Amino acid sequence: MINKNIKEAIDNYKSCENTNCKCHEDVINHDLSPFKDGITKEQFDIAVTKGTKYQIIDRKVYRQKDCHFPSRCAGVEHYLVALAPKLPNMELVINTRDWPQINRAWGHQKVPVLSFSKTKDYYDIMYPAWSFWEGGPAISLYPTGIGRWDKHRLSISEAAEKWPWNEKKSQVFFRGSRTSEERDALILLSRSRPELVDAQYTKNQAWKSDADTLYAPPASEVSFEEHCKYKYLFNYRGVAASFRFKHLFLCKSLVFHVGNDWLEFFYPSLKPWVHYIPISPKANQEEIIKYIEYFQQNDSLATEIADRGFQQIWDNLTVKDVKCYWRKLLKNYAKLLKYEVKKDIDLIKV
Ligand code: UDP
Protein backbone atom coordinates (compact mmCIF):
# COMPACT_ATOMS: atom_id res chain seq x y z
CA MET A 1 0.00 0.00 0.00
CA ILE A 2 2.72 2.47 0.96
CA ASN A 3 4.67 1.42 -2.11
CA LYS A 4 1.61 1.93 -4.32
CA ASN A 5 0.95 5.38 -2.83
CA ILE A 6 4.50 6.45 -3.53
CA LYS A 7 4.50 5.09 -7.07
CA GLU A 8 1.19 6.78 -7.93
CA ALA A 9 2.21 10.09 -6.41
CA ILE A 10 5.50 10.11 -8.29
CA ASP A 11 3.87 9.09 -11.58
CA ASN A 12 1.38 11.95 -11.26
CA TYR A 13 3.88 14.53 -10.01
CA LYS A 14 4.84 17.47 -12.16
CA SER A 15 7.50 19.68 -10.65
CA CYS A 16 6.64 23.37 -10.52
CA GLU A 17 8.37 26.07 -12.48
CA ASN A 18 11.27 27.22 -10.43
CA THR A 19 11.28 30.94 -11.36
CA ASN A 20 9.55 34.01 -10.01
CA CYS A 21 8.01 32.11 -7.05
CA LYS A 22 5.67 30.34 -9.49
CA CYS A 23 5.55 27.24 -7.27
CA HIS A 24 3.40 29.23 -4.84
CA GLU A 25 1.37 31.35 -7.28
CA ASP A 26 -1.78 29.23 -7.03
CA VAL A 27 -2.00 29.95 -3.31
CA ILE A 28 -2.21 33.70 -3.94
CA ASN A 29 -4.89 33.19 -6.61
CA HIS A 30 -6.82 30.84 -4.36
CA ASP A 31 -6.71 33.05 -1.26
CA LEU A 32 -7.64 36.22 -3.16
CA SER A 33 -10.42 34.56 -5.19
CA PRO A 34 -13.17 35.18 -2.57
CA PHE A 35 -12.43 38.90 -3.09
CA LYS A 36 -12.41 38.82 -6.89
CA ASP A 37 -15.30 41.31 -7.10
CA GLY A 38 -13.24 43.83 -5.16
CA ILE A 39 -12.73 44.93 -1.56
CA THR A 40 -14.91 47.76 -0.30
CA LYS A 41 -14.11 50.28 2.42
CA GLU A 42 -16.88 48.73 4.52
CA GLN A 43 -15.22 45.31 4.33
CA PHE A 44 -11.86 46.83 5.22
CA ASP A 45 -13.32 48.64 8.25
CA ILE A 46 -14.59 45.34 9.63
CA ALA A 47 -11.25 43.63 8.91
CA VAL A 48 -9.42 46.32 10.92
CA THR A 49 -10.88 44.94 14.15
CA LYS A 50 -9.12 41.59 13.49
CA GLY A 51 -5.48 42.62 13.21
CA THR A 52 -2.93 45.42 12.81
CA LYS A 53 -3.62 48.15 10.27
CA TYR A 54 -0.91 49.01 7.76
CA GLN A 55 -0.81 51.48 4.90
CA ILE A 56 1.65 51.85 2.05
CA ILE A 57 1.45 55.41 0.79
CA ASP A 58 3.91 56.97 -1.65
CA ARG A 59 6.30 54.03 -1.21
CA LYS A 60 6.45 54.37 2.59
CA VAL A 61 5.03 52.00 5.20
CA TYR A 62 2.79 53.13 8.08
CA ARG A 63 1.34 51.11 10.96
CA GLN A 64 -1.14 51.67 13.73
CA LYS A 65 0.73 52.62 16.89
CA ASP A 66 0.12 49.51 18.97
CA CYS A 67 1.18 46.18 17.77
CA HIS A 68 0.19 43.25 19.96
CA PHE A 69 3.45 41.37 19.26
CA PRO A 70 6.17 43.95 18.41
CA SER A 71 8.75 41.40 17.24
CA ARG A 72 6.18 39.74 14.96
CA CYS A 73 5.30 43.12 13.46
CA ALA A 74 9.04 43.77 12.99
CA GLY A 75 9.37 40.43 11.15
CA VAL A 76 6.56 41.47 8.80
CA GLU A 77 7.82 45.03 8.37
CA HIS A 78 11.23 43.80 7.25
CA TYR A 79 9.56 42.69 3.99
CA LEU A 80 7.05 45.53 3.67
CA VAL A 81 9.73 48.22 3.97
CA ALA A 82 12.01 46.45 1.49
CA LEU A 83 9.19 46.10 -1.07
CA ALA A 84 7.34 49.42 -0.57
CA PRO A 85 9.46 51.42 -3.09
CA LYS A 86 7.90 49.35 -5.89
CA LEU A 87 4.36 49.01 -4.57
CA PRO A 88 1.20 51.02 -5.24
CA ASN A 89 -0.73 52.72 -2.44
CA MET A 90 -2.81 50.33 -0.35
CA GLU A 91 -4.04 49.53 3.13
CA LEU A 92 -4.14 46.11 4.70
CA VAL A 93 -4.84 44.27 7.94
CA ILE A 94 -2.16 41.90 9.15
CA ASN A 95 -3.08 39.44 11.86
CA THR A 96 -0.04 38.51 13.96
CA ARG A 97 -1.89 36.18 16.29
CA ASP A 98 -1.24 32.43 16.12
CA TRP A 99 -4.66 31.64 14.75
CA PRO A 100 -6.65 32.86 11.73
CA GLN A 101 -9.71 35.08 12.05
CA ILE A 102 -12.38 34.76 9.39
CA ASN A 103 -14.11 31.38 9.53
CA ARG A 104 -16.63 30.43 6.82
CA ALA A 105 -18.20 27.70 8.92
CA TRP A 106 -18.83 30.08 11.82
CA GLY A 107 -20.66 32.46 9.50
CA HIS A 108 -18.07 35.25 9.66
CA GLN A 109 -18.52 37.97 7.07
CA LYS A 110 -16.02 37.72 4.23
CA VAL A 111 -13.42 40.44 4.91
CA PRO A 112 -9.72 40.59 3.97
CA VAL A 113 -7.35 39.70 6.81
CA LEU A 114 -3.81 38.47 6.21
CA SER A 115 -2.74 35.58 8.48
CA PHE A 116 0.31 33.33 8.46
CA SER A 117 -1.60 30.06 8.75
CA LYS A 118 -5.13 28.73 8.26
CA THR A 119 -7.24 25.73 7.32
CA LYS A 120 -9.61 25.52 4.34
CA ASP A 121 -12.39 26.80 6.60
CA TYR A 122 -10.96 30.31 6.69
CA TYR A 123 -11.10 33.30 4.31
CA ASP A 124 -7.80 34.58 5.72
CA ILE A 125 -5.20 35.38 3.07
CA MET A 126 -1.88 33.67 3.84
CA TYR A 127 1.32 35.73 4.08
CA PRO A 128 4.86 34.45 4.79
CA ALA A 129 5.18 34.25 8.59
CA TRP A 130 7.15 36.92 10.46
CA SER A 131 9.61 34.23 11.54
CA PHE A 132 11.19 34.09 8.09
CA TRP A 133 12.97 37.17 9.46
CA GLU A 134 12.27 37.44 13.21
CA GLY A 135 9.62 37.11 15.91
CA GLY A 136 9.25 33.31 16.05
CA PRO A 137 8.84 31.67 19.47
CA ALA A 138 11.74 32.32 21.85
CA ILE A 139 13.18 29.08 23.20
CA SER A 140 16.43 28.70 25.16
CA LEU A 141 18.38 27.99 21.96
CA TYR A 142 16.91 30.96 20.13
CA PRO A 143 16.45 33.44 22.97
CA THR A 144 15.49 36.31 20.69
CA GLY A 145 13.01 34.11 18.83
CA ILE A 146 13.22 31.81 15.85
CA GLY A 147 13.88 33.81 12.71
CA ARG A 148 16.50 34.42 10.01
CA TRP A 149 15.46 31.69 7.60
CA ASP A 150 18.39 32.81 5.42
CA LYS A 151 20.84 31.79 8.16
CA HIS A 152 18.98 28.60 9.08
CA ARG A 153 19.01 27.45 5.47
CA LEU A 154 22.80 27.54 5.55
CA SER A 155 23.45 26.20 9.04
CA ILE A 156 20.97 23.30 8.79
CA SER A 157 22.06 22.26 5.30
CA GLU A 158 25.67 22.32 6.55
CA ALA A 159 24.62 20.04 9.43
CA ALA A 160 23.00 17.73 6.84
CA GLU A 161 26.40 17.41 5.13
CA LYS A 162 27.96 16.36 8.46
CA TRP A 163 25.28 13.69 8.86
CA PRO A 164 24.89 11.94 5.50
CA TRP A 165 22.08 9.39 5.29
CA ASN A 166 24.19 6.34 6.10
CA GLU A 167 25.55 7.93 9.26
CA LYS A 168 22.19 9.08 10.59
CA LYS A 169 20.54 7.09 13.39
CA SER A 170 17.76 4.87 12.11
CA GLN A 171 15.37 6.38 14.62
CA VAL A 172 12.47 8.86 14.73
CA PHE A 173 13.18 12.17 16.42
CA PHE A 174 10.87 14.87 17.78
CA ARG A 175 11.34 17.68 20.30
CA GLY A 176 8.69 20.22 21.04
CA SER A 177 6.06 21.28 23.52
CA ARG A 178 2.51 20.00 23.86
CA THR A 179 0.86 22.69 21.72
CA SER A 180 -1.41 19.99 20.32
CA GLU A 181 -2.49 16.66 21.81
CA GLU A 182 -2.00 15.08 18.38
CA ARG A 183 1.64 14.76 19.40
CA ASP A 184 0.86 12.44 22.33
CA ALA A 185 0.85 9.16 20.34
CA LEU A 186 4.46 9.62 19.28
CA ILE A 187 5.61 10.71 22.75
CA LEU A 188 3.98 7.61 24.29
CA LEU A 189 5.49 5.40 21.60
CA SER A 190 8.90 6.79 22.48
CA ARG A 191 8.37 5.71 26.09
CA SER A 192 7.50 2.12 25.10
CA ARG A 193 9.91 1.78 22.13
CA PRO A 194 12.84 4.11 22.88
CA GLU A 195 15.12 2.27 20.44
CA LEU A 196 12.70 3.19 17.60
CA VAL A 197 11.55 6.68 18.62
CA ASP A 198 13.15 9.51 20.59
CA ALA A 199 10.25 11.95 21.05
CA GLN A 200 9.95 14.11 24.13
CA TYR A 201 8.02 17.14 25.26
CA THR A 202 9.83 20.36 26.11
CA LYS A 203 8.48 23.24 28.20
CA ASN A 204 6.77 26.23 26.68
CA GLN A 205 5.61 29.44 28.35
CA ALA A 206 2.35 27.80 29.42
CA TRP A 207 4.12 24.94 31.28
CA LYS A 208 3.07 24.67 34.92
CA SER A 209 3.79 21.09 35.95
CA ASP A 210 4.80 17.68 34.55
CA ALA A 211 1.15 17.22 33.55
CA ASP A 212 1.87 19.64 30.69
CA THR A 213 4.63 17.35 29.43
CA LEU A 214 2.42 14.26 29.69
CA TYR A 215 3.62 13.34 33.19
CA ALA A 216 7.33 13.37 32.49
CA PRO A 217 9.88 16.07 33.31
CA PRO A 218 10.42 18.46 30.39
CA ALA A 219 13.25 17.50 28.03
CA SER A 220 16.01 19.92 27.06
CA GLU A 221 15.52 21.71 23.78
CA VAL A 222 17.43 20.54 20.73
CA SER A 223 18.56 22.76 17.86
CA PHE A 224 17.35 22.25 14.29
CA GLU A 225 20.92 21.35 13.29
CA GLU A 226 21.00 18.49 15.84
CA HIS A 227 17.85 17.04 14.27
CA CYS A 228 19.99 16.10 11.25
CA LYS A 229 21.48 13.15 13.18
CA TYR A 230 18.23 11.21 12.68
CA LYS A 231 16.76 9.58 9.59
CA TYR A 232 13.10 10.22 10.44
CA LEU A 233 11.69 13.56 11.62
CA PHE A 234 8.06 14.18 12.61
CA ASN A 235 6.13 17.39 12.08
CA TYR A 236 2.84 18.22 13.80
CA ARG A 237 0.46 21.13 13.88
CA GLY A 238 0.68 23.26 17.01
CA VAL A 239 -1.91 25.94 17.72
CA ALA A 240 -1.84 26.50 13.95
CA ALA A 241 0.89 25.33 11.54
CA SER A 242 4.25 24.81 13.27
CA PHE A 243 7.30 26.75 12.06
CA ARG A 244 9.26 23.50 12.42
CA PHE A 245 8.13 22.02 9.07
CA LYS A 246 10.37 23.92 6.63
CA HIS A 247 13.46 23.45 8.80
CA LEU A 248 13.10 19.66 8.98
CA PHE A 249 13.52 19.22 5.22
CA LEU A 250 16.92 20.91 5.28
CA CYS A 251 18.40 17.95 7.21
CA LYS A 252 17.89 15.64 4.20
CA SER A 253 16.06 13.37 6.64
CA LEU A 254 12.69 11.79 5.83
CA VAL A 255 9.88 14.08 7.03
CA PHE A 256 6.65 12.58 8.38
CA HIS A 257 3.91 15.21 8.32
CA VAL A 258 0.97 14.48 10.60
CA GLY A 259 -2.37 15.98 9.49
CA ASN A 260 -2.95 18.21 6.50
CA ASP A 261 -5.44 20.79 7.75
CA TRP A 262 -3.15 23.57 8.90
CA LEU A 263 -1.29 25.37 6.14
CA GLU A 264 1.35 28.02 5.54
CA PHE A 265 1.68 29.54 2.09
CA PHE A 266 4.36 27.10 0.91
CA TYR A 267 2.72 23.84 2.09
CA PRO A 268 0.78 23.18 -1.15
CA SER A 269 4.09 23.14 -3.09
CA LEU A 270 5.13 20.07 -1.09
CA LYS A 271 3.45 16.85 -2.20
CA PRO A 272 2.64 13.83 0.00
CA TRP A 273 4.70 10.72 -0.83
CA VAL A 274 6.86 12.78 -3.19
CA HIS A 275 8.48 15.13 -0.65
CA TYR A 276 7.22 13.78 2.69
CA ILE A 277 5.19 10.96 4.25
CA PRO A 278 1.65 11.95 5.21
CA ILE A 279 0.35 10.48 8.48
CA SER A 280 -3.19 10.72 9.79
CA PRO A 281 -3.56 12.55 13.12
CA LYS A 282 -5.67 9.57 14.17
CA ALA A 283 -2.82 7.09 13.55
CA ASN A 284 -2.29 4.97 16.65
CA GLN A 285 1.05 3.71 17.89
CA GLU A 286 0.85 0.49 15.86
CA GLU A 287 0.23 2.37 12.65
CA ILE A 288 3.12 4.71 13.33
CA ILE A 289 5.38 1.69 13.93
CA LYS A 290 4.22 0.19 10.63
CA TYR A 291 5.31 3.32 8.74
CA ILE A 292 8.67 3.56 10.46
CA GLU A 293 9.47 -0.10 9.92
CA TYR A 294 8.46 0.14 6.28
CA PHE A 295 11.00 2.87 5.65
CA GLN A 296 13.65 1.12 7.72
CA GLN A 297 13.22 -1.85 5.37
CA ASN A 298 13.02 0.31 2.24
CA ASP A 299 15.98 2.54 2.91
CA SER A 300 16.65 3.70 -0.64
CA LEU A 301 13.02 4.77 -1.08
CA ALA A 302 13.30 6.76 2.16
CA THR A 303 16.45 8.55 1.08
CA GLU A 304 14.98 9.39 -2.35
CA ILE A 305 11.95 11.07 -0.77
CA ALA A 306 14.17 12.84 1.77
CA ASP A 307 16.38 14.20 -1.02
CA ARG A 308 13.40 15.38 -3.07
CA GLY A 309 11.95 17.11 0.00
CA PHE A 310 15.23 18.86 0.67
CA GLN A 311 15.56 19.97 -2.95
CA GLN A 312 12.02 21.34 -3.10
CA ILE A 313 12.60 23.56 -0.08
CA TRP A 314 16.16 24.46 -1.09
CA ASP A 315 15.13 25.51 -4.60
CA ASN A 316 11.72 27.02 -3.97
CA LEU A 317 11.74 28.47 -0.48
CA THR A 318 14.67 30.84 -0.81
CA VAL A 319 14.70 34.30 0.71
CA LYS A 320 14.07 35.55 -2.83
CA ASP A 321 10.95 33.34 -3.09
CA VAL A 322 9.60 34.71 0.19
CA LYS A 323 10.11 38.28 -0.97
CA CYS A 324 8.67 37.46 -4.39
CA TYR A 325 5.58 35.94 -2.74
CA TRP A 326 5.03 39.03 -0.61
CA ARG A 327 5.45 41.26 -3.68
CA LYS A 328 2.96 39.34 -5.83
CA LEU A 329 0.50 39.02 -2.98
CA LEU A 330 0.55 42.75 -2.22
CA LYS A 331 0.37 43.83 -5.88
CA ASN A 332 -2.60 41.56 -6.54
CA TYR A 333 -4.28 42.55 -3.28
CA ALA A 334 -3.90 46.28 -4.05
CA LYS A 335 -5.66 45.81 -7.41
CA LEU A 336 -8.75 44.57 -5.58
CA LEU A 337 -9.24 47.69 -3.43
CA LYS A 338 -12.31 49.46 -4.84
CA TYR A 339 -11.69 52.79 -3.14
CA GLU A 340 -8.93 55.37 -3.03
CA VAL A 341 -6.77 54.84 0.05
CA LYS A 342 -6.35 58.05 2.07
CA LYS A 343 -3.47 58.46 4.48
CA ASP A 344 -4.56 57.77 8.06
CA ILE A 345 -2.89 60.39 10.26
CA ASP A 346 -3.12 58.16 13.34
CA LEU A 347 -0.62 55.71 11.87
CA ILE A 348 3.12 55.88 12.55
CA LYS A 349 5.86 55.53 9.93
CA VAL A 350 7.90 52.32 10.18
N1 UDP B 1 11.95 23.85 18.85
C1 UDP B 1 13.26 23.46 18.66
N2 UDP B 1 13.84 22.60 19.54
C2 UDP B 1 13.17 22.11 20.61
C3 UDP B 1 11.83 22.51 20.81
C4 UDP B 1 11.24 23.38 19.90
O1 UDP B 1 13.91 23.90 17.71
O2 UDP B 1 13.77 21.33 21.34
C5 UDP B 1 11.32 24.76 17.90
C6 UDP B 1 10.28 24.03 17.08
O3 UDP B 1 10.82 23.40 15.96
C7 UDP B 1 9.29 25.12 16.72
C8 UDP B 1 9.40 26.07 17.92
O4 UDP B 1 10.61 25.76 18.58
O5 UDP B 1 9.68 25.79 15.55
C9 UDP B 1 8.25 25.94 18.88
O6 UDP B 1 8.05 24.56 19.12
P1 UDP B 1 6.86 24.00 19.98
O7 UDP B 1 6.82 22.53 19.81
O8 UDP B 1 6.94 24.52 21.37
O9 UDP B 1 5.55 24.68 19.35
P2 UDP B 1 4.96 24.64 17.88
O10 UDP B 1 5.23 26.00 17.32
O11 UDP B 1 5.60 23.54 17.12
O12 UDP B 1 3.51 24.40 18.11
Side-chain angles (χ1 to χ4, degrees):
M1 188 64 186
I2 296 176
N3 203 5
K4 187 169 161 269
N5 288 337
I6 295 172
K7 190 176 174 323
E8 267 178 27
I10 290 172
D11 287 349
N12 295 328
Y13 175 63
K14 285 192 196 71
S15 59
C16 52
E17 204 184 316
N18 176 6
T19 50
N20 220 358
C21 59
K22 283 217 172 72
C23 292
H24 312 293
E25 206 168 54
D26 288 351
V27 179
I28 296 178
N29 296 335
H30 175 271
D31 284 2
L32 292 180
S33 65
F35 304 99
K36 63 179 186 315
D37 296 333
I39 296 167
T40 63
K41 179 83 178 117
E42 290 69 33
Q43 280 176 305
F44 185 81
D45 288 343
I46 298 171
V48 149
T49 61
K50 307 286 181 187
T52 306
K53 178 175 176 180
Y54 281 91
Q55 286 189 332
I56 297 176
I57 306 275
D58 297 337
R59 295 172 295 282
K60 291 183 191 71
V61 181
Y62 300 87
R63 189 198 73 220
Q64 76 181 54
K65 210 164 165 215
D66 335 307
C67 159
H68 201 60
F69 297 103
S71 65
R72 295 185 183 185
C73 286
V76 164
E77 287 157 17
H78 169 75
Y79 291 98
L80 298 188
V81 169
L83 293 168
K86 291 197 173 156
L87 290 173
N89 285 3
M90 70 183 86
E91 57 185 6
L92 58 156
V93 175
I94 299 188
N95 164 34
T96 53
R97 291 189 182 88
D98 288 337
W99 51 89
Q101 299 290 314
I102 315 295
N103 191 306
R104 284 186 175 85
W106 298 343
H108 290 164
Q109 200 177 332
K110 189 166 58 178
V111 297
V113 173
L114 275 68
S115 295
F116 94 94
S117 172
K118 67 166 176 176
T119 70
K120 289 195 188 73
D121 289 338
Y122 290 84
Y123 285 120
D124 297 55
I125 300 160
M126 285 189 284
Y127 69 87
W130 49 84
S131 73
F132 277 99
W133 184 253
E134 69 172 290
I139 64 171
S140 60
L141 298 161
Y142 311 107
T144 55
I146 295 175
R148 293 308 298 261
W149 173 239
D150 54 337
K151 291 189 176 175
H152 274 131
R153 274 173 57 92
L154 298 177
S155 62
I156 304 170
S157 58
E158 275 163 25
E161 294 306 307
K162 284 195 201 123
W163 293 96
W165 186 261
N166 287 333
E167 286 178 34
K168 291 182 196 281
K169 288 189 198 175
S170 186
Q171 204 181 18
V172 170
F173 188 75
F174 177 83
R175 280 295 178 286
S177 66
R178 196 168 179 240
T179 47
S180 151
E181 289 171 16
E182 286 181 7
R183 302 171 174 194
D184 288 358
L186 192 71
I187 303 295
L188 293 171
L189 179 57
S190 168
R191 293 179 191 170
S192 59
R193 295 284 306 272
E195 80 296 349
L196 195 66
V197 179
D198 178 352
Q200 297 179 56
Y201 276 139
T202 55
K203 265 187 199 180
N204 63 19
Q205 282 159 345
W207 188 88
K208 291 194 188 65
S209 72
D210 285 356
D212 297 322
T213 28
L214 213 55
Y215 304 99
S220 315
E221 288 159 345
V222 174
S223 70
F224 290 122
E225 291 78 9
E226 293 284 306
H227 284 57
C228 298
K229 289 181 185 166
Y230 302 85
K231 280 191 180 174
Y232 316 111
L233 300 175
F234 267 59
N235 183 59
Y236 288 90
R237 61 164 289 193
V239 176
S242 168
F243 296 143
R244 175 185 285 100
F245 197 34
K246 59 185 178 296
H247 301 91
L248 300 183
F249 288 99
L250 293 179
C251 277
K252 293 191 182 167
S253 300
L254 183 63
V255 176
F256 291 72
H257 180 44
V258 183
N260 58 7
D261 285 347
W262 286 94
L263 304 172
E264 285 187 63
F265 84 92
F266 61 90
Y267 282 31
S269 68
L270 295 158
K271 305 298 177 197
W273 305 111
V274 176
H275 302 115
Y276 65 84
I277 307 307
I279 303 274
S280 162
K282 295 194 187 99
N284 60 26
Q285 295 185 35
E286 272 156 40
E287 286 167 275
I288 296 175
I289 293 173
K290 193 186 76 186
Y291 279 101
I292 303 164
E293 289 183 341
Y294 177 86
F295 286 104
Q296 284 182 330
Q297 287 152 17
N298 292 273
D299 199 52
S300 58
L301 209 50
T303 173
E304 280 167 27
I305 299 171
D307 284 347
R308 267 198 303 272
F310 168 85
Q311 211 59 49
Q312 182 68 9
I313 289 290
W314 187 255
D315 292 342
N316 298 303
L317 198 61
T318 63
V319 172
K320 211 170 143 196
D321 288 312
V322 175
K323 218 167 170 179
C324 168
Y325 189 90
W326 261 119
R327 184 189 310 112
K328 272 193 195 174
L329 172 64
L330 294 173
K331 279 191 169 172
N332 288 329
Y333 168 88
K335 281 185 205 152
L336 297 173
L337 293 176
K338 279 175 128 173
Y339 57 95
E340 196 193 333
V341 176
K342 296 208 175 70
K343 188 162 181 284
D344 178 345
I345 53 159
D346 291 334
L347 303 193
I348 54 164
K349 185 170 172 296
V350 291

